[in-house]
Amino acid sequence: MSTAPLAFLKGHGTENDFVIVPDPDNTVDLPPALVARVCDRRAGIGGDGVLHVVRSAAHPEARHMAGEAEWFMDYRNADGSVAEMCGNGVRVFARYLQHAGHAAAGDLAVATRDGVKRVHLAKNGDVTVVMGRAALPEAGVTVTVGERSWPARNVDMGNPHAVAFVDDLAHAGDLYSEPRYAPAAVYPDGVNIEFVVDRGPRHVAMRVHERGAAETRSCGTGACAAAVAAARRDGLDPAATGTPVTYTVDVPGGTLLITELPDGRIEMTGPAVIVAEGRIDPAWLSGTSA
């Protein structure tokens, strides 16, 4: 480990919070154990994940996207595992690029493990991300908490989701541990599980257990999955009607607007904020300081 302090920033999107590590040339080693230490809310900086900011041309997983997107979001879950995509993370990542002078208000592209995402930085502070298209695998799944079980809609947003409609969000339990789901073979690499209730016409609220992070205050891909599942449950399919469908999705950390377009693309709009920046003690990074 380098003897130099590690620069970082802290940001959040609807209270889904991240430690941001600027590393344009991809010189910072972030093994899983270190990511988990950094994300620890008592002994580290604290966060639902790490946004490793790397130029696409400098990262072996993103070089093929460098012609479309200068910057790659190398996203890590709070437990140190690698994730394909994080919707709130992309918004915060884009806000960081603006904060650092790498992007201006308007449109930009961000490379992720789920491909290039198109982002719009609005002057009012909101950030819109084109999240791609949802896939709706036929395989069904049942989610269980305690003595209650629900059928869940299988939605793939570049990462896997199981969306269960419940009568009360309290039925999700404490979400410290992963709810049970079956058959397990439907999600061989784990799954994000959304519990969703209705709040009004095209308006839902949700809680989520995120794979690798337990319950979070918000999940962007989860909000998209919940909106798509709610639309299909309500008999709404923009591809069939030619009319966009927008759902308001309340999460514990705020509100997101999710719009599904007739061509299947999904747009997510919400706030993204940079709240702090600093440096991590190299002695702590190396493990020689508690």
Side-chain angles (χ1 to χ4, degrees), residues 195-220:
F195 297 87
V196 182
V197 298
D198 290 300
R199 289 287 187 248
R202 301 192 188 186
H203 186 179
V204 297
M206 72 173 221
R207 292 175 62 199
V208 58
H209 182 282
E210 281 200 62
R211 178 180 58 171
E215 181 171 21
T216 59
R217 300 284 293 171
S218 181
C219 173

Side-chain angles (χ1 to χ4, degrees), residues 64-65 69 72 84-85 110-118:
H64 66 286
M65 295 180 278
F72 173 56
E84 305 93 334
M85 171 61 182
V110 174
T112 75
R113 290 185 175 85
D114 187 42
V116 175
K117 302 301 177 184
R118 307 294 169 180

Side-chain angles (χ1 to χ4, degrees), residues 17 55 113 148 151 205 227 254 289:
D17 62 332
R55 282 198 168 87
R113 290 185 175 85
R148 295 186 175 93
S289 173

Side-chain angles (χ1 to χ4, degrees), residues 37 42-44 280-290:
R37 287 184 71 212
R42 292 176 175 83
I280 302 176
D281 184 346
W284 183 86
L285 285 170
S286 66
T288 60
S289 173

Side-chain angles (χ1 to χ4, degrees), residues 160-185:
H161 295 268
V163 182
F165 291 94
V166 300
D167 295 326
D168 189 326
L169 290 179
H171 292 168
D174 59 31
L175 292 184
Y176 293 144
S177 58
E178 182 180 57
R180 303 193 305 278
Y181 58 91

Side-chain angles (χ1 to χ4, degrees), residues 47-74:
D48 293 322
V50 166
L51 303 177
H52 185 206
V53 184
V54 183
R55 282 198 168 87
S56 297
H59 199 289
E61 293 184 67
R63 286 185 187 125
H64 66 286
M65 295 180 278
E68 291 184 76
E70 180 181 2
W71 296 96
F72 173 56
M73 184 181 77
D74 175 19

